[in-house]
Amino acid sequence: MKITCVTVGKIKEKYLTEAIREYEKRLSRYCRLEIVELADEKTPDGAGAAEEAAIRDREGERILKAIKEDAYVIALAIEGKMLDSVELSRKIEAFGTGGVSHIVFVIGGSLGLSSAVMKRADYALSFSKMTFPHQLMRVILLEQIYRSFRIMKNEPYHK
């Protein structure tokens, strides 16, 4: 199975980069992982709703260009469905047995995802009602994907 993480924004902190590298290494046993890092738009202080929507749309265009036509797209969105780790593992496993060979997880920028990206998404996943920095969310997502594969293989880790 191939898993792609399409993310907006660069990782700036060394400790997050190291954590991402560690999960990339761990995941290499279970799947082909690709991380696509897209440029974010700068949001001026005091930006209005129309300007924020335009920023989301520009980021959204870049996101959509990075998604292959045949991919199953999971958008990380605060309004998405919350799953526990076992449920996420079962969902990923079901995709594999159901013929899905490529899953794309999308992490938007600081303003979230455009309506076009949400329309393209096959599933909206929420990790919490809280907002997380997109840099940290990348680490959390990779950890949960890793945990999912460990659960699928009945390997100790998930307790």
Side-chain angles (χ1 to χ4, degrees):
M1 175 177 286
K2 180 175 182 180
I3 294 186
T4 302
C5 296
V6 175
T7 66
V8 175
K10 294 195 181 307
I11 300 295
K12 296 171 184 128
E13 286 81 9
K14 183 180 176 188
Y15 70 96
L16 292 174
T17 302
E18 289 171 359
I20 290 165
R21 273 197 216 116
E22 178 63 26
Y23 284 111
E24 286 175 322
K25 184 175 83 179
R26 290 181 186 193
L27 280 164
S28 68
R29 294 180 49 212
Y30 303 104
C31 65
R32 288 177 296 129
L33 177 67
E34 175 187 28
I35 296 178
V36 178
E37 194 173 84
L38 304 172
D40 59 346
E41 296 280 328
K42 301 299 176 226
T43 305
D45 291 338
E51 191 170 5
E52 288 184 356
I55 290 168
R56 273 192 302 277
D57 289 344
R58 286 193 298 273
E59 289 177 346
E61 287 171 17
R62 287 196 285 274
I63 291 168
L64 292 171
K65 283 180 187 171
I67 296 172
K68 303 267 191 280
E69 181 99 9
D70 63 340
Y72 187 91
V73 178
I74 300 176
L76 273 61
I78 207 162
E79 67 274 8
K81 180 156 174 50
M82 282 193 243
L83 303 175
D84 65 29
S85 296
V86 173
E87 289 169 324
L88 179 61
S89 175
R90 287 186 182 137
K91 187 167 269 309
I92 292 171
E93 186 173 33
F95 292 146
T97 58
V100 173
S101 61
H102 187 193
I103 301 171
V104 175
F105 288 90
V106 179
I107 301 174
S110 61
L111 298 176
L113 295 168
S114 70
S115 59
V117 172
M118 292 306 294
K119 229 176 260 176
R120 170 60 181 92
D122 297 294
Y123 191 82
L125 176 65
S126 175
F127 276 74
S128 173
K129 290 186 189 274
M130 292 184 231
T131 302
F132 296 102
H134 61 271
Q135 294 179 25
L136 180 59
M137 195 64 233
R138 195 181 311 183
V139 175
I140 294 169
L141 173 62
L142 291 175
E143 190 280 333
Q144 284 298 304
I145 294 169
Y146 174 68
R147 184 180 295 266
S148 291
F149 280 106
R150 298 287 293 192
I151 292 168
M152 274 183 246
K153 304 288 185 189
N154 292 315
E155 295 172 350
Y157 181 76
H158 68 282
K159 301 228 179 207

